[in-house]
Amino acid sequence: MEPEIDREEILTRNYLSLKNILEDGLKNAGLSVDHYEAKGFLIDVQGHFKGLMLRREEREELYARLQEAFAAVNKKIEDERADFEMEALANYADLKPAVMEASALAIVAEDMKAAWDQLLKIQNRLKTEKLLREHRDELFSMMRDAFDMLKIRRDEERHQYETEAKMNY
């Protein structure tokens, strides 16, 4: 009869130990500002379930609590991702016309220094605003083309000036 008592004692000790680990993990996950870090705490707790002898109902109880915590963290991550995408789309809608206007300015501007400064200003906005990767790449490509256009125009103007200077000298 003694092995049965030892087994019950082991099961009880395992349950209490895992319950404490779970509660600490849930507390750490709840305090964490970074949702991915919180998920890491929960994954660590999940690792403690493996190979541990528990009563079926106790394992299911603790595992259900862990799964609820995973679901809550995953929802927060998904909400955060959705908020980011909404903000990124709004930023893209705001920035694309400005980039197109700056690109046109690079072609027609009389004051190339002012056009260059305007391009830099918009480029700095692109660096700080939240955007989806493909939108960021698209807008930076347009900006690169605009800068290249201004460089070409500046080089042509410099070449023309040098030619005129040689002719007048």
Side-chain angles (χ1 to χ4, degrees):
M1 198 64 165
E2 197 171 297
E4 186 62 32
I5 292 172
D6 287 344
R7 184 178 189 284
E8 286 299 315
E9 187 178 309
I10 289 171
L11 291 173
T12 301
R13 197 173 337 117
N14 286 347
Y15 170 73
L16 293 175
S17 173
L18 186 58
K19 183 177 178 186
N20 288 335
I21 291 169
L22 176 66
E23 288 172 355
D24 287 344
L26 294 177
K27 182 177 129 189
N28 288 339
L31 294 175
S32 178
V33 177
D34 180 358
H35 303 307
Y36 291 98
E37 181 183 51
K39 193 170 185 175
F41 288 130
L42 298 178
I43 290 170
D44 288 343
V45 170
Q46 189 176 35
H48 289 280
F49 276 81
K50 294 179 180 144
L52 197 61
M53 258 182 20
L54 291 169
R55 290 178 194 88
R56 173 181 270 195
E57 62 275 359
E58 291 173 342
R59 178 180 295 278
E60 289 173 356
E61 168 204 335
L62 296 177
Y63 201 73
R65 287 181 60 196
L66 180 63
Q67 291 307 308
E68 287 174 15
F70 268 118
V73 168
N74 287 337
K75 172 130 178 52
K76 288 178 184 176
I77 289 171
E78 190 57 39
D79 290 347
E80 195 174 83
R81 185 177 296 130
D83 290 345
F84 173 84
E85 286 181 12
M86 292 288 284
E87 185 177 350
L89 290 173
N91 289 340
Y92 176 72
D94 181 45
L95 285 168
K96 185 162 184 178
V99 170
M100 292 176 73
E101 182 180 317
S103 294
L105 186 63
I107 296 170
V108 299
E110 293 296 321
D111 183 354
M112 285 194 246
K113 171 82 171 104
W116 188 269
D117 291 343
Q118 180 66 17
L119 287 173
L120 287 175
K121 182 177 158 187
I122 293 171
Q123 184 182 48
N124 286 331
R125 278 186 62 200
L126 285 176
K127 290 177 183 178
T128 60
E129 297 289 338
K130 293 178 183 177
L131 292 166
L132 299 176
R133 174 169 277 131
E134 64 263 13
H135 291 159
R136 181 175 304 282
D137 292 346
E138 172 193 346
L139 296 177
F140 268 115
S141 175
M142 292 171 70
M143 291 299 295
R144 215 174 4 264
D145 292 344
F147 277 114
D148 290 345
M149 177 56 69
L150 270 179
K151 288 176 189 174
I152 290 169
R153 290 186 58 213
R154 184 185 61 208
D155 290 345
E156 287 173 354
E157 197 173 272
R158 184 181 311 122
H159 179 71
Q160 182 180 0
Y161 174 78
E162 288 171 357
T163 303
E164 288 176 8
K166 283 180 183 177
M167 289 175 63
N168 291 334
Y169 183 65

